[in-house]
Amino acid sequence: MMDFTKYGFMLSLLCAAACSGSPRTGDLSNAYRDIAPTASTVSERRVPAVQEAAWPERFAFGTIASKADIKRWDIDVKPDGQGLPNGKGKAEEGEAVYRAKCAACHGMNGDEGPYDVLISSEKKSIGTYWPYATTLFDYIRRTMPFNMPGTLTDEEVYQLTAYLLSANGIIDSNEVMDAKRLPRVEMPARASFVPDDRKGGPEIK
Amino acid sequence: MKEDNHPEKINRRQLIGRVAAMGLVLTQGPFERVIQTAGLPMSASDDPTKKLGPFPGKVGTRSPAEQLEKFTSFTSSRSPLQDFYGTITPSDLHFERHHGGVPAIDPEKYELIIHGMVERPLKFTLNDLKRFPSVSQIRFLECSGNYRGGNEELTPQQICGLTSQSEWTGVMLSTLFREVGLKPKASWFLAEGGDAAVMTRSIPISKGLDDAMIVYAQNGEAVRPEQGYPARLFLPGWEGNTSIKWIRRIEVSDSPFMTREETSKYTERIKDGKIRQFSVVMDARSIITFPTFPVSVEKGWMEIRGIAWSGRGKITTVEVSVDNGKNWYPARLQDPVLDKAHTAFRFLWQWDGRETVIMSRAYDETGYRQPFLQELVEARGSSGGYHFNPVTPWRLKPDGQVVLASETPGRGRGRRPTA
């Protein structure tokens, strides 16, 4: 019953017109191949499928992305520090940037809102809930401040990162953050993170 | 034309007032719809058979009596689940959740770059994407932060309106990966959007090769701006945030990038002080969408209606209880039951008018049963957060008013009829 439903639906979805001349009963998978040789049967894949066997090695759609194309957008920073730019910053400098550009949303103390708490030893904050220091740099540079996204210089982002880590008691206030030091900062929350262990089945997790 | 295609917005009370002034009698029907119940036209000018109507238009309209709206907040807007029939969400009522507003992207200038651990880094225009073999899938999309409670005057829209369903059309991501050629060590990829949040998530390559798509169409037309125009990632069954909208870049790698949205957000506290990460699959859930707050019902026959869905595959069973969880009966599921899709369920019932609580629970093909609130609280040691999918009970009061029930049965699972 289920299979019939499935096939019926797939057929109508993918090839309603082409199917009209084919037998509607019996082994639908063969009929399917006859009318649509480049498609596979539903039982072979869970999704409306594409069969790559009949495809060219490459379609040759799209063009090569040059190094300049990639550099224009490739701003991510990985936990090992890959992607961090040149530059450096200290907490003292970062505090000034914070007060000018961040405090309106995050509060002068970083824990009174109106938006996300950043500095706290109890609430969800950078100190208690951020497992990687590199994420701070990536996120601040990518999209902060909220009303002027992506306008901070790399230097300002290093400064802010140093300030927020220092204010949470994670680094000393005089430490300099740069591409070498930042990935080595140990975040208190790191040990709390575990991979998802839900897998379906009867157990409630 | 503007008049025809954009009728001025009027609410139900205004409508009733206006139509009453014209001599018709409208009342609220059992499904909170305004229906014409009685009264002949007072004059020829009110009789639609005596008045020539507008000619065919370029764009269709909703009836002025059917002004559906999303329920908005600063961060999201929710689909009016209680107003829907069937399972396809009208595209303009699809829920919204974005982190830096809706970007304006010129489709002529749009590009998707795929680079990193690939043989050939490529960039695709929108037209390039549309030239590849295409696929359509009818799938739900749900935000993992989709649970509200604590107040009996909540509608399904307010409780879990961050789920919607569409027919998505585009190119399988596996097709694009085949084109760029994945290197042997490739195991994760970063998906990045072109919005002000430059939203990023790390996705296992296995999902990319399974059923992930780059979609450019939704319900027969281009994806709407709020849903990622001109193209978005779509990951069936996974929490909505991973289906990066306005996608502009995919970087293939051998490890996750640990972006903000997969570390300090979209993770949840579980027992022993632990925080669950990369919890991306949406567990099975159901909700009754009729009768619910704010409707009132009369005793007698009624069809209890709702939707059920699972990110792990097909819904196999939906059970309904009309006695606060003591007994459970299978509901009728609407064919075809699709993978990772909202599935309509219906249960015909005769209410005797005495106060009771009705509820539904979904099962999926992995054998998972939608849990009660208390079971989730006990399993996680937390009373909310992401991926909260409890059974939602509704109290029918003797006067017919329906409200969200505040208590849910915790331990007793109730009897399942063997027949």
Side-chain angles (χ1 to χ4, degrees):
Chain A
M1 176 60 194
M2 271 330 219
D3 281 346
F4 175 80
T5 306
K6 198 159 62 177
Y7 278 123
F9 176 71
M10 297 306 306
L11 286 167
S12 63
L13 194 70
L14 291 174
C15 56
C19 288
S20 57
S22 301
R24 289 274 181 178
T25 54
D27 185 355
L28 280 176
S29 60
N30 287 333
Y32 198 53
R33 284 226 171 77
D34 290 339
I35 54 175
T38 62
S40 61
T41 60
V42 175
S43 60
E44 285 169 340
R45 291 185 62 154
R46 290 163 63 86
V47 296
V50 283
Q51 184 168 356
E52 297 163 11
W55 287 6
E57 192 182 326
R58 288 186 59 204
F59 289 96
F61 303 152
T63 48
I64 290 291
S66 68
K67 280 187 177 153
D69 288 334
I70 295 165
K71 196 180 170 194
R72 174 170 54 125
W73 283 346
D74 186 4
I75 56 169
D76 59 76
V77 174
K78 295 192 77 171
D80 62 4
Q82 218 181 112
L84 281 170
N86 293 329
K88 60 182 189 305
K90 284 171 68 176
E92 192 183 336
E93 304 153 339
E95 184 168 5
V97 180
Y98 180 87
R99 286 173 185 274
K101 299 188 175 180
C102 317
C105 284
H106 296 287
M108 288 305 268
N109 300 320
D111 73 344
E112 71 271 44
Y115 295 105
D116 286 35
V117 171
L118 303 181
I119 304 164
S120 174
S121 56
E122 289 153 12
K123 302 173 198 167
K124 241 177 153 177
S125 70
I126 292 163
T128 64
Y129 208 91
W130 284 60
Y132 299 92
T134 47
T135 310
L136 262 179
F137 188 99
D138 177 279
Y139 182 70
I140 296 170
R141 178 167 71 163
R142 167 178 303 281
T143 188
M144 288 287 120
F146 187 73
N147 62 339
M148 294 173 65
T151 57
L152 298 171
T153 64
D154 289 346
E155 206 80 1
E156 285 177 308
V157 178
Y158 274 122
Q159 292 165 356
L160 280 169
T161 303
Y163 170 65
L164 292 169
L165 291 170
S166 161
N168 275 288
I170 298 167
I171 61 167
D172 288 339
S173 59
N174 56 3
E175 276 195 78
V176 176
M177 288 297 110
D178 60 17
K180 279 203 169 143
R181 174 70 182 111
L182 188 60
R184 299 203 181 107
V185 172
E186 287 181 23
M187 299 296 277
R190 176 77 180 274
S192 305
F193 280 77
V194 294
D196 186 18
D197 63 346
R198 298 170 307 140
K199 290 187 171 65
E203 195 182 351
I204 307 296
K205 286 185 173 177
Chain B
M1 170 191 158
K2 286 196 173 63
E3 284 286 295
D4 282 349
N5 292 334
H6 303 282
E8 67 174 303
K9 198 182 279 179
I10 56 176
N11 65 31
R12 182 174 290 122
R13 190 162 296 161
Q14 288 170 326
L15 175 76
I16 291 171
R18 286 183 198 188
V19 179
M22 293 195 300
L24 296 177
V25 180
L26 298 188
T27 61
Q28 284 189 14
F31 306 111
E32 184 70 350
R33 300 275 180 232
V34 175
I35 53 174
Q36 182 179 333
T37 55
L40 290 170
M42 300 292 284
S43 67
S45 66
D46 298 323
D47 178 353
T49 69
K50 298 293 186 287
K51 186 183 174 190
L52 186 61
F55 290 152
K58 289 186 176 173
V59 178
T61 63
R62 282 202 173 91
S63 161
E66 305 286 346
Q67 291 301 309
L68 307 185
E69 283 186 346
K70 289 188 262 196
F71 180 83
T72 61
S73 72
F74 181 65
T75 54
S76 67
S77 57
R78 293 161 174 262
S79 288
L81 300 181
Q82 65 281 351
D83 296 328
F84 292 158
Y85 303 95
T87 56
I88 296 291
T89 307
S91 299
D92 61 343
L93 296 168
H94 193 290
F95 83 85
E96 293 177 46
R97 174 74 179 99
H98 22 83
H99 299 69
V102 178
I105 297 173
D106 180 348
E108 297 295 322
K109 293 180 183 156
Y110 172 82
E111 277 181 355
L112 169 63
I113 289 183
I114 303 182
H115 70 107
M117 290 187 168
V118 299
E119 301 295 339
R120 293 169 294 278
L122 291 174
K123 56 179 179 179
F124 302 101
T125 64
L126 185 58
N127 190 50
D128 290 334
L129 294 177
K130 290 179 179 176
R131 292 174 74 189
F132 284 101
S134 60
V135 164
S136 295
Q137 305 191 62
I138 295 174
R139 299 289 182 261
F140 78 84
L141 182 66
E142 182 183 16
C143 176
S144 55
N146 192 22
Y147 168 70
R148 295 287 180 281
N151 171 1
E152 68 173 21
E153 297 195 341
L154 291 176
T155 63
Q157 178 173 24
Q158 290 165 308
I159 294 164
C160 69
L162 296 177
T163 187
S164 303
Q165 174 145 292
S166 304
E167 182 201 56
W168 300 98
T169 299
V171 50
M172 299 304 293
L173 187 54
S174 59
T175 301
L176 298 181
F177 279 164
R178 185 179 176 276
E179 197 71 12
V180 296
L182 295 178
K183 291 195 170 167
K185 281 189 176 174
S187 56
W188 289 80
F189 68 92
L190 182 79
E192 182 179 274
D195 58 330
V198 204
M199 176 59 60
T200 43
R201 287 295 299 259
S202 305
I203 313 293
I205 285 283
S206 56
K207 182 66 174 174
L209 292 174
D210 179 15
D211 57 0
M213 301 174 72
I214 300 294
V215 298
Y216 42 75
Q218 174 187 12
N219 296 336
E221 61 174 340
V223 168
R224 299 237 168 174
E226 298 84 356
Q227 307 311 324
Y229 183 83
R232 75 179 299 172
L233 181 63
F234 185 75
L235 304 181
W238 282 30
E239 65 183 10
N241 181 252
T242 61
S243 285
I244 298 292
K245 294 187 276 191
W246 314 293
I247 190 161
R248 74 173 191 183
R249 187 170 73 94
I250 288 175
E251 181 174 346
V252 178
S253 182
D254 58 359
S255 58
F257 291 70
M258 301 300 179
T259 74
R260 183 247 198 182
E261 312 303 329
E262 60 212 17
T263 53
S264 82
K265 301 287 177 184
Y266 298 100
T267 55
E268 58 268 4
R269 287 190 194 280
I270 52 173
K271 280 191 168 169
D272 305 322
K274 296 296 182 191
I275 300 166
R276 182 188 279 160
Q277 193 183 15
F278 294 115
S279 49
V280 289
V281 181
M282 300 307 298
D283 280 327
R285 188 171 186 179
S286 70
I287 187 163
I288 291 172
T289 55
F290 178 84
T292 65
F293 181 80
V295 302
S296 288
V297 290
E298 290 175 38
K299 70 177 181 181
W301 290 103
M302 73 175 76
E303 189 176 61
I304 295 172
R305 296 169 182 163
I307 50 171
W309 64 98
S310 169
R312 297 187 195 276
K314 290 184 178 63
I315 289 294
T316 52
T317 308
V318 176
E319 293 178 334
V320 170
S321 172
V322 292
D323 57 5
N324 200 20
K326 286 192 198 74
N327 292 284
W328 293 86
Y329 302 96
R332 224 164 22 101
L333 301 186
Q334 175 65 60
D335 281 336
V337 176
L338 302 175
D339 252 12
K340 303 168 188 171
H342 285 172
T343 301
F345 69 86
R346 301 176 176 107
F347 182 77
L348 192 60
W349 175 50
Q350 193 172 21
W351 182 39
D352 61 11
R354 279 184 292 191
E355 177 157 319
T356 192
V357 173
I358 64 171
M359 59 186 93
S360 65
R361 61 185 184 190
Y363 295 74
D364 71 18
E365 58 186 329
T366 70
Y368 180 86
R369 169 180 58 80
Q370 182 185 7
F372 296 109
L373 179 65
Q374 194 58 33
E375 288 178 305
L376 276 175
V377 171
E378 284 170 12
R380 298 192 189 164
S382 135
S383 58
Y386 297 102
H387 293 279
F388 232 67
N389 59 329
V391 167
T392 305
W394 300 96
R395 183 180 305 283
L396 273 61
K397 296 182 171 178
D399 64 0
Q401 199 194 341
V402 185
V403 295
L404 179 63
S406 53
E407 301 273 323
T408 60
R411 295 170 189 283
R413 293 182 179 185
R415 275 181 290 146
R416 276 184 97 171
T418 47

